[in-house]
Amino acid sequence: MKFLKIALIVSALLISIAACADSTSNNSTTSNNGNSAANNSATTAQPSATIDELAAARKIYSERCVKCHKPDGSGGEVDIEGTKINSEDLRTEKMKKMDDAKYIKYITDGIPGEGMPAFKSILSEAEIKDVVKFIRAEFQSK
């Protein structure tokens, strides 16, 4: 009985080693020009914002910003709780030239007297930065 248990353990160990060795050989396959597949993928350009970041920021924009800035970023005059607000068109050259730090400040602290609310108690710093990335990608890259 003891011999059978040892034989099973040794067999499982050998199978594990064989599987790892096979996995290692697959990871080092080379293409026709002699470069390893790992080297080829390392040189591929990465996007500046992942799809997940933009999806989360798109959700925040649609929940928090779209009332004033509209789904297409065009802004304009809106009525929020009886107050008329003339929100910025995020697609203009003026808004494209504004640096990210200023966007972040406006979103964080709001713009008193213009109707832009402060989001510092609602959104995290990372979420605010993601919203700026979303605005750049969605409304200002075209």
Side-chain angles (χ1 to χ4, degrees):
M1 187 69 163
K2 212 178 212 183
F3 176 76
L4 183 59
K5 286 182 181 178
I6 293 172
L8 286 173
I9 292 171
V10 169
S11 295
L13 184 60
L14 290 173
I15 290 170
S16 295
I17 291 170
C20 289
D22 186 42
S23 170
T24 304
S25 68
N26 286 341
N27 288 338
S28 63
T29 58
T30 57
S31 62
N32 290 339
N33 63 8
N35 293 334
S36 72
N39 287 342
N40 288 340
S41 66
T43 59
T44 304
Q46 298 298 316
S48 60
T50 65
I51 293 170
D52 289 337
E53 277 181 310
L54 292 179
R58 179 177 282 109
K59 184 174 189 283
I60 292 168
Y61 182 88
S62 69
E63 291 172 353
R64 305 285 181 187
C65 311
V66 82
K67 275 187 196 175
C68 296
H69 295 285
K70 302 201 173 96
D72 65 353
S74 63
E77 191 174 293
V78 294
D79 187 349
I80 304 293
E81 298 174 7
T83 303
K84 293 224 184 273
I85 298 170
N86 192 17
S87 60
E88 291 285 347
D89 182 342
L90 301 172
R91 306 167 305 168
T92 64
E93 286 303 311
K94 170 188 162 189
M95 298 306 285
K96 289 178 183 179
K97 291 178 182 176
M98 186 183 299
D99 65 21
D100 288 359
K102 200 164 197 175
Y103 267 105
I104 291 167
K105 180 174 176 28
Y106 286 159
I107 296 169
T108 301
D109 298 330
I111 307 173
E114 291 189 26
M116 173 73 181
F119 287 93
K120 63 184 164 198
S121 63
I122 299 168
L123 301 174
S124 71
E125 188 176 324
E127 288 173 321
I128 291 171
K129 287 179 181 178
D130 286 347
V131 169
V132 173
K133 286 180 191 176
F134 171 77
I135 290 168
R136 298 283 192 210
E138 189 72 15
F139 307 127
Q140 299 178 350
S141 65
K142 298 169 184 156

